[in-house]
Amino acid sequence: MNTAKLITCSEKSHYPFKRYPSESCDTVLFPGCAFPSQFPRTMDALAELCRMHGIGIAYDCCGHPLDGFGVQGGTDRVLSSIARRLKKCGCTRVVAVCPNCLNLLQERLGIPTISVFELFEELGVRPKGTFEPGVLFTPCPDLRHHEMRDALRRSCDLSAVDDLKKVGCCGLLPKLAAQGPDVVRRHTQRVFDAADGRRIYTYCASCLGQFARLGNSNCQHAVSVFLGVEEAPDAKRAFWNRAKRKFDTNVNPYPATKA
């Protein structure tokens, strides 16, 4: 295992920035680790929405990459810890922001899990931003059932946005990453080529961070647009952004009292 993989697996196995609600809350938002890393201002807006509706926030990593990197039993151990912490704060339902988290938690957490776009529908939250002409990239974990994509299209007007078809992974799947940076870059470039200069929308922060690292600034997270936050992926400060969620006392994961 090379140094980059070792560092990744170490952080994902024992996520150092976890923070859970101390108050009882039946619904808890699980933003994952990539979304707060890449989109801190959008995370702030989403946290405020949760506060207004009495929804708690659990800052943690789902452990998804550990399966891909072959860490035996690593993901199961992480999920067991997450389930224990969520049940301790009275959680009976999880809301996932990341498609990788959504798939994994739905299949293996043992607590009902929905997507953030389904939450927007349920709360009757209307989009504040406008999706300008562009393409919608479907990340790997949503390719089979299109659960998040369909919920996104139901919750806002994407009539000017075409589905980006006949492209695969952004390049970050562990089995691709294991083949080296050249293979990763080729897969990312295929997405850029298919977009043909058009704005790329997606709902996977990891994909958007990869696009930004390879020089494509013409991309946006669907949650950012929905909440009216103009924000590009903050790949350069990703580590500090996620660390902030644990140590910054101004970042409040606890729900407000419902009116």
Side-chain angles (χ1 to χ4, degrees), residues 34-97:
F35 183 75
S37 298
Q38 301 290 347
F39 299 94
R41 290 194 295 110
T42 307
M43 184 64 242
D44 288 342
L46 187 54
E48 176 59 18
L49 179 69
C50 288
R51 188 194 67 80
M52 292 169 58
H53 291 276
I55 296 170
I57 302 177
Y59 294 107
D60 205 343
C61 173
C62 71
H64 168 263
L66 299 175
D67 279 346
F69 285 128
V71 180
Q72 191 70 28
T75 303
D76 288 336
R77 181 189 58 75
V78 169
L79 289 172
S80 177
S81 173
I82 291 171
R84 184 172 63 253
R85 291 170 183 270
L86 289 174
K87 289 175 181 177
K88 186 177 180 180
C89 65
C91 174
T92 59
R93 185 179 64 162
V94 177
V95 180
V97 178

Side-chain angles (χ1 to χ4, degrees), residues 12 28-39 43 46 58 60-65 94-107 113-118 120 139-142 147-149 172 202-208 221-223:
K12 306 307 181 186
V28 173
L29 184 83
F30 192 93
C33 53
F35 183 75
S37 298
Q38 301 290 347
F39 299 94
M43 184 64 242
L46 187 54
D60 205 343
C61 173
C62 71
H64 168 263
V94 177
V95 180
V97 178
C98 166
N100 279 311
C101 293
L102 180 66
N103 267 14
L104 188 66
L105 300 183
Q106 282 182 333
E107 293 175 1
T113 305
I114 64 171
S115 78
V116 67
F117 301 116
E118 291 174 275
F120 291 159
C140 295
D142 203 31
E147 181 176 348
M148 289 191 78
R149 188 196 70 183
L172 292 184
T202 191
Y203 38 92
C204 177
S206 296
C207 292
L208 286 158
H221 199 291
V223 174

Side-chain angles (χ1 to χ4, degrees), residues 7 26 28 77 83 97 106 117 144 172-173 181 185 224 230:
I7 292 172
D26 53 5
V28 173
R77 181 189 58 75
V97 178
Q106 282 182 333
F117 301 116
R144 183 186 300 176
L172 292 184
L173 274 177
R185 279 193 292 269
S224 298
E230 187 69 32

